[in-house]
Amino acid sequence: MEKITVFTGAGISAESGLKTFRDEDGLWMGYNVYEVATPEGWKANRKLVQEFYNMRRREVAKAIPNAAHEAIAELQSKYHVQVITQNIDDLHERAGSKNVIHLHGEIFKMKSDRDGTMISEIRDDIDADAKAPDGGYWRPHVVWFGEAVPEMESAELELRDADIFIVVGTSLQVYPAAGLVYALPPGIPKYLVDKNPPSVSNLHGYTVIGKPATEGMQDLLKLI
Ligand code: OAD
């Protein structure tokens, strides 16, 4: 079975009603990223950070997977499919994708801000004063700016033996994640689906489908 590795960003969940980060109505237009998505922000104002992610969790709980998430899951009938997502939502899993790496964490998990390996499921809000058994505060299990991306290594491994690579809905602005588009075996077919494709350099050899993810994925299915 051929292997398809799919790399996704916020744009794939936009049509499920979840805001992206850098589009006109994106989250980083309404929030200061340093206040809500850095270890320094957490130290300065735990309550504000929890409120931001509690809101995200409620939105994800209400959202449902769209035709783009579903199209990726359907590829599993013909290919070995590995999803690498920057998204903290669980829409790929709910659409039926079996192999999903979350580079930037998962909104339905929390971890201790002391021992980050102490992880627990969370469906509801996290109280800003809630404490983990090790005495640390529970924080969202997400990767903040300035923090390491522990899943990068496994993501790179999943690229090395890919036969086809698909990128959907990411501005490719955030490293190290964005660097994945350059770490591919030479010569494999590469596709990029994005409503407003990023004009980053070095996207040589990509077949670009400049459409919303739901529509663009249908076009792509006809091409591969
Ligand atoms: P961005 O908001 O930076 O980029 C969203 C991309 O999706 C853009 O290229 C849009 O053109 C595209 N887009 C928007 N609506 C779309 C649609 N309906 N169909 C297809 N494409 C669409 O989001 P990301 O690239 O995911 O990290 O952002 C990367 C990281 O930055 C996030 O994981 C998050 C954020 O800060 C952290 O918080 C660590």
Side-chain angles (χ1 to χ4, degrees):
M1 229 184 209
E2 278 194 309
K3 174 170 177 178
I4 299 190
T5 299
V6 188
F7 178 48
T8 66
I12 194 166
S13 297
E15 290 163 272
S16 292
L18 300 177
K19 281 189 173 168
T20 64
F21 295 94
R22 294 174 186 79
D23 289 303
E24 260 173 30
D25 60 343
L27 288 168
W28 294 157
M29 302 304 155
Y31 290 91
N32 180 333
V33 53
Y34 298 101
E35 285 177 1
V36 300
T38 63
E40 293 73 25
W42 174 249
K43 275 190 207 105
N45 192 343
R46 235 173 28 238
K47 197 163 186 293
L48 179 78
V49 178
Q50 290 290 21
E51 275 169 8
F52 176 77
Y53 287 100
N54 284 340
M55 227 182 301
R56 306 280 76 77
R57 194 175 303 103
R58 285 184 220 158
E59 285 166 3
V60 173
K62 274 192 289 174
I64 51 172
N66 65 49
H69 300 104
E70 281 160 8
I72 291 169
E74 278 160 25
L75 286 170
Q76 293 173 134
S77 63
K78 287 202 206 140
Y79 300 91
H80 171 61
V81 179
Q82 176 66 52
V83 177
I84 302 169
T85 187
Q86 296 164 88
N87 300 343
I88 58 177
D89 67 54
D90 63 347
L91 298 182
H92 282 298
E93 286 92 340
R94 277 198 266 150
S97 282
K98 302 278 179 244
N99 309 309
V100 184
I101 292 177
H102 285 271
L103 285 177
H104 293 160
E106 294 172 72
I107 193 65
F108 291 123
K109 290 183 181 166
M110 58 185 181
K111 64 182 177 190
S112 168
D113 72 354
R114 212 170 266 179
D115 171 5
T117 64
M118 187 172 279
I119 295 171
S120 187
E121 299 254 326
I122 177 76
R123 305 302 299 184
D124 302 318
D125 288 359
I126 312 177
D127 189 277
D129 293 324
K131 285 199 171 170
D134 67 350
Y137 289 105
W138 284 122
R139 55 164 276 187
H141 180 41
V142 299
V143 173
W144 286 328
F145 287 93
E147 293 186 318
V149 184
E151 294 294 331
M152 268 308 280
E153 208 172 315
S154 20
E156 275 166 10
L157 284 176
E158 296 296 347
L159 283 183
R160 281 199 200 148
D161 59 350
D163 298 299
I164 299 173
F165 184 56
I166 302 172
V167 183
V168 190
T170 171
S171 64
L172 300 173
Q173 295 291 306
V174 175
Y175 281 80
L180 286 175
V181 294
Y182 307 128
L184 285 172
I188 68 167
K190 298 174 282 194
Y191 300 89
L192 187 143
V193 178
D194 198 297
K195 191 170 91 169
N196 186 12
S199 55
V200 293
S201 58
N202 285 332
L203 280 179
H204 297 305
Y206 277 77
T207 301
V208 176
I209 302 172
K211 290 189 179 174
T214 51
E215 217 182 305
M217 279 306 299
Q218 289 310 315
D219 290 9
L220 193 149
L221 292 184
K222 290 179 201 135
L223 291 177
I224 58 173

